């Protein structure tokens, strides 16, 4: 199952000497098309990329495709990925740079039943804690480490794609994204009442409120390519369009949801709208401007990543990432160039209220 | 035509040589051609990771191994028994035809969430059920075919003895089918291992090889992921050796007229 | 049965017993029986659901039989009904069954390609191993072991390298990566089964060929291959199942957009709120498998002269 | 056995002194016949390509009677035997074995059969093959052991008890099949060219043994052979068949009673030669030149 | 064939007038012998349980000579034949076929073989089975068709050309195997009890055909049989073997030249009977009582 061709010593796949500096750009998502990525779909749909002269192809992932590896292998020019996972990859020898921290906040929750008595990370001890695995568990371990709990003090249960394990009581506290799995819970009929589950049926622990909080969706590029001025130029153009896309998604939530469905999401309309709305909450307001990396949040992520130890005693990372791991230059330049054309801070952003329907359909 | 002695030696030496050649090519790709380690880590790095995480790997090995073994045994037994029923009554055969064809193609991605829901994500039973289903299919399919391979003359003989269905099954049908059953189990052994492992991606208690392969791969810790993969291969090897031994025993008891 | 009962009304008028493979009845019969089997499974499902406790059958702490909640085991009729409803609440959304059917067609084509490639590779390997015993000793263990390497270890590599292949204007399409991975699962039962079959010919027949000084290949074509048919058929059948599973899994693994695999994952993600929906692509996969199995059954009919004497 | 003693006139078989043959020797009068076939036909194949293997065959074998079937290759001898054994159903006609339908006789294990091909189970040893019917019908381990040893001795394969069929010569395999058919001392023995692959001496020994067994156990025997002398030597009655379609054309009572010892002397009896000639003529459909000559 | 003409004294075979037998008829003097075995032994099995099938066998078959092998069941006749056919390697001794190693003769397709078991390919029709060797050695479609038709006719199965082996009787299968062995008109024919399952008439026809073929094509024949008259009738020389271990004990030259037509008349020749008795005595190891009686 092995064998290699060409593509020799380049630490960065298409990086090194021959980075793709053309206007045909590939963006690797970190999951299937859904409103979590509404800004990018909107930028395509509204022609923002085109306005910059770019022809952008959005590539979904999921399954066994790791976005930062696809990026490093040269299958894409930019990739969306969570910071802690990429930190792990960087320690394994991949040179990638975070060029825009789109999500300013962590959207991960740990949900338990209202009567479970699990209200905080400290209550995890001895409980069955759900996680998707695939690197999503590090945030849990980091938060637990901050509470002085080690990985073996809980039983980690791998969650599959839905919340059935939690709803049937196999898991005491399930991992959920505000924009997705949490909504799934609220779209499910409660067998006791016959009505949909209500928010007060659950205890919700948000990692954003814990020391374990880690930065999530960011745009990554090959570090070596960023030495190429042509690549940098194109990167700034790309980021400008992205910013416009997210601003559009903020101001036109319903339309953004519709665009995402048209782009191949298979969620029902109400779920998609919920997701677009919740995603906006993770981005806006962006005090330093959308995508600008907050040093404190970054440091906390790195600390958490270093503190976290899994139940087999393995670390996510053992040393601090290199300075090249993030760089605000490009997003700041993009925001700069956009000037007043768009509101890049969303200071008076107000989320809407979305009503969920059964099954999200 | 080799002598039995050289044959015994070759049986061991040949696979080892092939393994070494593959390893050499691999190492060559990594250290001379220079395939990036996050695409394909070298054998040396993997060996290193194996050493560093020996206890962790061993622990994961047993969890997955147990699930695979239980699934293999249970699935094979059910496969042989149902195949026997099919051979006994054509109605059963006909009725099982679609059901087995269906089971054979429902992939783990589809089965895992369903069985996890059914058995509970906090138990290993869902995975064992998956491994059992995976093992059941080849054993059933091969055995059904094998149970038809009695020769007309032998069937006549048993008929002339007015042998009961069970007697015919035991004295004639099963021995004729034995090589087919073995072929089925050989296929099933690796399927049980891989199924038990892949089922771990899709929910259930963490701790097996599959969980840690996916976790390691997600953060590009490929050498570590491959260390767990190597453990999976070793698990497959154990299953393989067991089936080979089984085959030896059966062949010793039931030599066939097969050509050499 | 009495002996007199065997006397036919008109002596000499021969009432041939229906022979296997003759006419449409046997085909119809097996289809009806198969459907009866599926109905029986549905019946068992509902009966179990009705009779067993919500939380399944527990022996000690072990749940030996599954739970029966609507989340775990939806009613058969609910699943059927869901197929007729639209995929989502979007205006103009197509019915669920249609979406599934479209995905099945996409996956079927890919699976067929994977099966073909896998079968050819499997047969080639089997022939090589049958030709040289050393090769069998050396390769067979690794072939068996190859199947314990999880796709996650190499599927991304296949996709990555595939996406870079470009010959002239022709670009390696993603479905070929899926088919290639599918063939990885399909070749295995074929290689193992065909090898066993090629070694199972009667000694008197191989010796006959030896007296003709027929080369190894002539013996292969004239004796070994025909004699291997009883082994080959289940091998091809498992290979077809492998190709289908491989296609679905590879679609998931490397994120191929239009097939049944992608649908399985996305709908499984919606199963909490809409448990019946998640079953639709599973049924789709089953249909896929039945088509594949039917194809192999047809092959079995075409090859029936190599299965003479087989008990029915 | 083949000592050069000239035939003793005292010992010459006097056919007239013997009891009449057909089925009257060892069975009580009125006992149901071992085989009773009336108007039995058998056709193979589809309507398009039909082969009529047997056409309107009537055959009665009394209990304890020894009947030899003889006829050209492909005339339906094996088919007739398979019908009696309930391995094939007649296309028309009725067939009874010991007064019951053939299927019932099979269930009751009223017969033992030796096929034209040995049909040994390749994974069982010689002893294992012979003990198969005993195992199936619940003989105790001891009984089995003893009976198998006896039978192996009978067919002269004591040294090969543990060999597998593929380690035996053709004739040895056939002897195992014969031993197997005798294992349960059946009331009716169906033997399809059992001695075809045996050399003359072994064959003669087996013939003598078979004759002895049939007398001792009072078993009826239906015996297919291509050897006319063998048929006459062994049988009370020789049934001659013709091919396409398979029919019984003639039945010749040998007149040699069951109680007559089958030995070298009988082979040299002029009356024996007369019968051989008679059968040959019946078989070949014309008087034969020299009746003293036997292939 | 079996018409009732009394033997014509003119036609009685005069053995003295004939050419001496051994291999001198159709082959040029000095041509390499068809088979030359010197000190050939063959043992089966492991050291623990060894069966010596053949021990120190010397056998020479001249080109064009017809040799019959006869001996008790299990004495190694089939084994010897398989050694000549290079299907088995001798444990010791040398074996040459037409002056070359047996393996080379096989490669050169110097022989045709008919096994003791028919060994037909079940998925091929009668015609398909017969044409197999022709296909393998590149005969054209037309040649094949013609030759197969000829051979099917020869063995009397014209109506069954399209039947599958499992639709044939035992004797019919054996005839197909015989036809197959003749297909390529080999210089050496190895036949292992080929006529064992045939009725007398078919057998006599096949004997006559085989004799004719061997004369016409000048083929040497090694012919295993259990029938002493058959051996004498057909062969130039009868090789008698004994069992455990398999050895050649005697060789009897029949003195009936190749050119003598094998017919009814020969069967009735007194000289023929004499030879039959001689072989029987050699086989049974003692003088036999009545030489006029055959089986
Ligand atoms: N299964 C079958 N299908 C079709 N035809 C058959 C089948 N079995 C036998 N026959 C035909 O029936 C006829 C009689 O066959 P049978 O075996 O009874 O002959 P037989 O008298 O035993 O001949 P032999 O002496 O050669 O063994 C033959 O013509 C044969 O071709
Ligand atoms: N493959 C084998 N393994 C072990 N022993 C064998 C094998 N083949 C033959 N023998 C033994 O060799 C001896 C001679 O066998 P062979 O088949 O040559 O006898 P034969 O003369 O042809 O007898 P028949 O007339 O019964 O066919 C027998 O004792 C047999 O058991
Ligand atoms: C197999 C697999 N499962 C979960 C995640 C994590 N994840 C990333 S985005 C997102 C939102 C869900 O819609 C989730 C759960 C993953 N990357 N791969
Ligand atoms: Mg017959
Ligand atoms: Mg022999």
């Amino acid at each position: 199952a092995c064998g290699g061709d060409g593509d020799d010593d380049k630490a960065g796949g298409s990086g090194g000497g021959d980075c793709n500096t053309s206007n045909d750009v590939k963006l690797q998502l970190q999951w299937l098309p859904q409103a979590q990525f509404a800004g990018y779909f909107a930028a395509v749909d509204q022609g923002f990329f085109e306005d910059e002269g770019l022809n952008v192809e959005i590539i979904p992932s999921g399954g066994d495709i790791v976005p930062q590896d696809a990026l490093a292998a040269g299958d894409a020019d930019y990739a969306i990925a969570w910071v802690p996972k990429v930190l792990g990859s960087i320690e394994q020898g991949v040179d990638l740079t975070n060029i825009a921290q789109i999500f300013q906040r962590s959207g991960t929750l740990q949900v338990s039943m209202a009567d479970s008595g699990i209200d905080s990370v400290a209550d995890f001890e001895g409980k069955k804690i759900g996680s998707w695995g695939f690197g999503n568990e590090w945030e849990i371990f980091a938060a637990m480490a901050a509470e002085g709990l080690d990985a073996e003090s809980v039983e980690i249960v791998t969650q599959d794609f839905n919340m059935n394990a939690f709803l049937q009581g196999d898991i005491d506290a399930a991992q959920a994204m505000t924009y997705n799995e949490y909504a799934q819970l609220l779209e499910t009929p409660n067998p006791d009442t016959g009505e949909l589950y209500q928010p007060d049926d659950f205890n919700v622990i948000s990692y954003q409120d814990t020391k374990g909080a880690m930065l999530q969706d960011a745009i990554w590029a090959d570090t070596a390519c960023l030495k190429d001025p042509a690549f940098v130029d194109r990167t700034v153009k790309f980021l400008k369009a992205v910013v416009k896309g997210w601003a559009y998604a903020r101001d036109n939530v319903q339309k953004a949801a519709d665009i995402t469905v048209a782009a191949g999401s298979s969620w029902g309309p109400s779920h998609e709208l919920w997701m677009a709305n919740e995603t906006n909450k993770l981005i806006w307001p962006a005090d330093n401007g959308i995508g600008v990396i907050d040093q404190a949040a970054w440091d906390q992520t790195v600390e958490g990543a270093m503190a976290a130890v899994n139940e087999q005693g393995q670390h996510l990372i053992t040393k601090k990432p290199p300075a090249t791991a993030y760089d605000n230059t490009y997003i700041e330049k993009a925001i700069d160039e956009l000037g007043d054309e768009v509101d890049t801070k969303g200071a008076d952003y107000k989320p809407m209220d979305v009503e969920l329907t059964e099954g999200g359909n | 035509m080799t002598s039995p002695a050289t044959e015994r030696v070759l049986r061991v030496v040949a696979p080892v040589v092939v393994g070494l050649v593959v390893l050499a090519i691999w190492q060559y790709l990594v250290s001379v051609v220079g395939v990036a380690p996050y695409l394909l880590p070298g054998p040396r790095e993997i060996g290193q990771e194996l050493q560093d995480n020996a206890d962790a790997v061993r622990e994961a090995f047993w969890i997955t191994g147990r699930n695979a073994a239980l699934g293999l045994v249970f699935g094979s037994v059910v496969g042989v028994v149902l195949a026997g029923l099919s051979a006994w009554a054509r109605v059963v055969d006909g009725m099982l035809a679609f059901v087995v064809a269906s089971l054979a193609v429902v992939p783990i991605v589809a089965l895992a969430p369903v069985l996890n829901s059914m058995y509970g994500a906090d138990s290993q039973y869902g995975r064992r059920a998956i491994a059992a289903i995976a093992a059941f299919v080849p054993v059933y399919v091969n055995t059904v075919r094998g149970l038809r391979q009695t020769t007309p003359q032998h069937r006549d003989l048993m008929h002339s003895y007015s042998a009961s269905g069970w007697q015919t099954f035991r004295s004639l049908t099963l021995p004729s089918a034995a090589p087919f059953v073995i072929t089925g189990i050989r296929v099933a052994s690796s399927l049980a291992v891989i199924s038990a492992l892949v089922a771990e991606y899709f929910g259930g208690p963490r701790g097996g090889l599959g969980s840690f392969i996916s976790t390691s791969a997600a953060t590009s810790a490929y050498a570590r992921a491959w260390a767990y993969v190597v453990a999976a291969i070793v698990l497959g090897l154990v299953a393989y050796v067991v089936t080979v031994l089984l085959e030896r025993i059966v062949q010793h008891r039931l030599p066939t007229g097969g050509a050499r | 049965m009495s002996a007199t009962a065997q006397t036919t009304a008109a002596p000499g008028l021969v009432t041939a017993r229906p022979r296997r493979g003759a006419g449409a009845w046997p085909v119809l019969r097996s289809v009806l029986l198969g459907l009866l089997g599926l109905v029986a499974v549905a019946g068992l499902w509902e009966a179990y659901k009705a009779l067993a406790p919500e939380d399944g059958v527990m022996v000690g702490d072990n749940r030996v039989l599954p739970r029966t909640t609507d989340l775990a085991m939806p009613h058969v009729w609910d699943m059927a009904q869901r197929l007729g409803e639209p995929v989502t609440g979007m205006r103009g959304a197509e019915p669920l069954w249609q979406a599934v059917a479209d995905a099945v067609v996409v996956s079927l084509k890919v699976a067929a390609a994977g099966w073909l490639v896998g079968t050819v590779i499997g047969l080639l390997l089997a022939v090589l191993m049958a030709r040289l015993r050393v090769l069998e000793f050396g390769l067979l263990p690794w072939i068996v072991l190859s199947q314990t390497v999880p796709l996650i270890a190499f599927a991304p590599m296949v996709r990555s390298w595939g996406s870079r292949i470009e010959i002239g204007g022709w670009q390696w399409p993603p479905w070929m990566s899926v088919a290639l991975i599918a063939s990885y699962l399909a070749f295995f039962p074929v290689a193992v089964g065909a090898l066993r079959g090629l070694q199972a010919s009667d000694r008197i027949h191989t010796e006959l060929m030896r007296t003709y000084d027929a080369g190894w290949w002539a013996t292969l074509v004239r004796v070994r291959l025909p004699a291997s048919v009883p082994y080959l058929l289940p091998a091809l059948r498992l290979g077809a199942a492998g190709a289908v599973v491989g296609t679905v899994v590879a679609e998931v693994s490397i994120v191929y957009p239009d097939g049944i695999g992608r649908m399985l994952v996305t709908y499984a993600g919606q199963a909490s709120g809409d448990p019946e929906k998640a079953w639709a692509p599973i049924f789709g996969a089953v249909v896929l498998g039945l088509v594949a199995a039917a194809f192999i059954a047809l092959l079995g009919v075409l090859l029936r002269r190599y299965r003479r004497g087989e008990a029915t | 056995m083949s000592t050069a003693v000239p035939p003793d006139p005292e010992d010459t078989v006097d056919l007239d002194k013997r009891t009449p043959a057909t089925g009257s020797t060892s069975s009580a009068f009125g006992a149901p016949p071992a085989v009773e076939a009336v108007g039995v036909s058998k056709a193979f194949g589809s309507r398009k390509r039909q082969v009529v293997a047997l056409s309107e065959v009537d055959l009665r074998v009394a209990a304890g009677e020894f009947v030899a079937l003889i006829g050209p290759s492909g005339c339906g001898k094996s088919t007739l035997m398979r019908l009696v054994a309930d391995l094939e159903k007649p296309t028309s006609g009725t067939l009874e074995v010991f007064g019951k339908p053939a299927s019932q006789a099979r269930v009751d294990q009223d017969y033992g059969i030796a096929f034209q091909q040995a049909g040994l189970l390749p994974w069982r040893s010689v002893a294992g093959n012979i003990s198969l019917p005993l195992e199936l019908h619940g003989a105790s381990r001891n009984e089995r052991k003893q009976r198998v040893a006896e039978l192996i001795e009978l067919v002269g394969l004591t040294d090969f008890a543990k060999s597998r069929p593929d380690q035996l010569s053709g004739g040895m395999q056939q002897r195992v099949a014969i031993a197997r058919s005798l294992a349960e001392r059946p009331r009716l023995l169906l033997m399809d060219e059992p001695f075809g692959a045996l050399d003359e001496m072994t064959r003669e020994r087996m013939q003598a043994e078979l004759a002895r067994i049939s007398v001792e156990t009072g078993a009826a025997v239906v015996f297919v052979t291509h050897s006319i002398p063998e048929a006459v030597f062994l049988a009370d009655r020789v049934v001659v068949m013709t091919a396409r379609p398979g029919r019984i054309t003639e039945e010749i009572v040998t007149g040699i009673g069951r109680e007559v010892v089958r030995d070298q002397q009988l082979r040299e009896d002029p009356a024996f030669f007369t019968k051989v000639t008679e059968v040959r003529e019946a078989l070949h459909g014309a008087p034969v030149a020299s009746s003293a000559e036997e292939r």
Side-chain angles (χ1 to χ4, degrees), chain A:
Chain A
C2 50
D5 56 11
D7 205 33
D8 300 353
D9 52 345
K10 293 168 273 169
S14 78
D18 51 352
C19 292
N20 172 26
T21 54
S22 78
N23 289 334
D24 293 326
V25 177
K26 287 181 185 162
L27 170 64
Q28 175 74 57
L29 299 185
Q30 72 135 344
W31 195 242
L32 298 169
Q34 56 182 359
Q36 178 189 2
F37 313 108
Y40 314 105
F41 291 117
V44 172
D45 185 74
Q46 296 297 308
F48 300 144
F49 286 126
E50 218 172 302
D51 294 345
E52 301 293 335
L54 300 181
N55 173 27
V56 173
E57 182 191 350
I58 295 179
I59 306 168
S61 78
D64 298 330
I65 301 301
V66 178
Q68 64 269 31
D69 285 335
L71 174 62
D75 299 342
D77 303 300
Y78 305 103
I80 314 294
W82 289 11
V83 173
K85 299 187 201 183
V86 183
L87 292 182
S89 301
I90 289 175
E91 182 156 309
Q92 297 297 322
V94 183
D95 285 331
L96 299 179
T97 300
N98 181 347
I99 55 169
Q101 183 61 49
I102 300 299
F103 286 14
Q104 300 284 328
R105 285 160 275 273
S106 164
T108 315
L109 308 176
Q110 204 74 29
V111 185
S112 60
M113 287 295 176
D115 55 4
S116 67
I118 303 174
D119 298 310
S120 67
V121 174
D123 299 330
F124 285 2
E125 188 163 9
K127 294 287 195 282
K128 290 175 188 156
I129 303 301
S131 168
W132 298 295
F134 288 93
N136 299 294
E137 69 279 21
W138 293 110
E139 210 166 6
I140 304 177
F141 293 136
M144 282 170 55
E147 296 287 336
L149 292 174
D150 74 11
E152 300 213 54
S153 63
V154 300
E155 186 187 336
I156 296 286
V157 176
T158 308
Q159 282 173 224
D160 55 24
F161 311 106
N162 55 50
M163 299 303 279
N164 289 2
F166 171 66
L167 290 170
Q168 300 192 105
D170 302 335
I171 299 174
D172 297 320
Q175 212 171 16
M177 303 309 296
T178 53
Y179 46 81
N180 189 358
E181 287 78 7
Y182 183 58
Q184 282 183 45
L185 288 177
L186 302 177
E187 288 160 352
T188 303
N190 182 345
D192 296 338
T193 63
E195 305 287 305
L196 295 185
Y197 277 107
Q198 297 303 309
D200 39 345
D201 291 329
F202 308 110
N203 291 335
V204 171
I205 301 160
S206 171
Y207 285 98
Q208 182 57 33
D209 305 336
T210 71
K211 283 269 206 259
M214 294 191 185
L215 288 170
Q216 300 187 340
D217 292 27
I219 304 176
W220 300 81
D222 197 309
T223 308
C225 288
L226 289 169
K227 298 202 178 82
D228 181 344
F231 188 87
V232 169
D233 272 0
R234 208 233 7 234
T235 299
V236 173
K237 286 189 201 161
F238 174 78
L239 288 178
K240 278 161 72 181
V242 167
V243 171
K244 279 155 82 180
W246 279 115
Y248 178 86
R250 173 194 61 204
D251 301 336
N252 308 274
V253 186
Q254 182 64 57
K255 280 203 178 124
D258 292 346
I259 288 169
T260 313
V261 170
S265 167
S266 60
W267 290 108
S270 72
H271 189 98
E272 202 71 68
L273 184 62
W274 170 284
M275 192 184 289
N277 187 42
E278 290 296 323
T279 301
N280 278 331
K281 290 190 201 169
L282 299 178
I283 301 172
W284 312 108
D287 302 339
N288 302 327
I290 178 175
V292 175
I293 297 145
D294 173 41
Q295 176 77 42
W298 176 268
D299 288 345
Q300 184 184 339
T301 302
V302 171
E303 266 163 45
M306 287 177 61
V309 181
N310 75 4
E311 66 269 47
Q312 294 223 305
Q314 293 148 351
H315 291 261
L316 174 54
I317 56 172
T318 53
K319 52 182 191 286
K320 281 197 188 301
T324 53
Y326 79 90
D327 192 340
N328 276 332
T329 326
Y330 317 102
I331 185 67
E332 280 167 352
K333 185 145 190 260
I335 290 174
D336 236 32
E337 287 182 15
L338 283 171
D340 291 338
E341 194 186 329
V342 281
D343 171 9
T344 55
K345 290 201 165 70
D348 35 74
Y349 163 72
K350 287 277 175 306
M352 60 187 285
D353 270 326
V354 177
E355 192 172 340
L356 290 167
T357 58
E358 181 173 341
N361 288 321

Side-chain angles (χ1 to χ4, degrees), chain C:
Chain C
M1 220 195 280
S2 79
T4 36
Q6 276 138 30
T7 317
T8 48
L13 193 145
V14 183
T15 49
R17 263 193 290 168
R19 282 172 58 93
R20 222 154 58 90
W25 168 236
V27 177
L28 190 66
R29 188 187 125 99
S30 49
V31 169
L32 286 178
L33 269 179
L35 290 177
L36 192 67
L38 291 183
V39 170
V41 168
L44 271 175
W45 178 276
E46 286 298 336
Y48 178 75
K49 194 168 153 59
L51 298 176
E54 279 261 296
D55 207 34
V57 178
M58 309 283 288
V59 173
D61 269 348
N62 299 315
R63 183 178 285 117
V64 288
L65 287 176
R67 308 181 157 115
T68 61
T69 56
D70 285 346
L71 219 49
M73 296 176 69
H75 280 292
V76 171
W77 46 85
D78 286 338
M79 296 191 266
Q81 191 190 351
R82 184 65 185 88
L83 280 173
E85 293 167 3
V87 182
T88 65
M90 284 295 277
R91 245 180 304 129
E94 55 183 351
L96 185 55
W97 69 265
Q98 200 173 339
V100 172
D102 290 346
V104 164
V105 170
V106 169
S107 293
L108 188 60
K109 288 182 193 158
V110 181
W115 180 76
L116 210 64
V117 174
T119 300
V120 168
I121 292 174
L123 283 177
L124 266 172
L125 280 171
V127 164
L128 279 177
M129 289 188 290
R131 177 79 188 87
L132 263 183
R133 262 183 100 65
V134 188
L135 280 182
E136 182 197 333
F137 298 156
L139 290 182
L140 190 57
W142 292 105
I143 287 176
V144 175
L145 290 186
S146 75
Q147 299 297 304
T148 54
V149 178
L151 287 191
I152 192 177
F154 61 88
M157 254 190 285
V158 171
R159 186 187 88 139
S160 182
W161 287 336
S163 74
R164 257 171 262 171
I165 295 178
E166 209 178 331
I167 301 163
W170 181 81
Q171 170 117 50
W172 175 271
W175 72 262
M176 285 176 85
S177 296
V178 177
L180 196 67
I181 297 170
S183 74
Y184 178 80
L185 269 72
F187 94 93
F188 167 64
V190 178
V192 173
L195 172 64
R196 197 77 183 74
L198 292 176
Q199 292 172 335
S201 33
D202 283 343
R203 191 161 69 194
I204 193 164
H205 294 147
T206 48
E207 284 186 344
L208 180 73
M209 295 303 280
R210 193 168 146 79
T211 70
Y212 294 144
D213 189 38
W216 194 85
W217 291 101
T219 310
L220 178 76
V221 172
R222 299 246 172 21
V223 170
R224 289 186 191 273
L225 267 182
S228 76
V229 167
Y231 285 86
L232 211 52
L233 285 174
L236 291 178
R237 190 175 155 187
L238 292 172
V244 170
V245 172
T247 300
V248 174
V249 173
E251 282 173 1
V252 175
S253 180
I254 69 172
V255 201
Y256 180 73
D258 302 323
I260 203 84
R262 154 81 175 277
M263 193 173 260
L264 272 166
V265 174
T266 53
Y267 289 5
Q270 302 168 14
S272 295
D274 196 352
E276 292 84 16
K277 189 177 183 184
W279 284 89
I282 297 181
F283 296 143
V286 165
V287 169
L288 205 59
L290 292 183
V291 172
F295 174 70
I296 303 299
L298 192 73
L299 216 59
V301 171
L302 293 179
L303 292 174
R304 68 179 172 277
R305 89 168 150 127
Y306 300 104
R307 298 158 52 206
R308 293 187 77 85
E310 210 170 79
T312 50

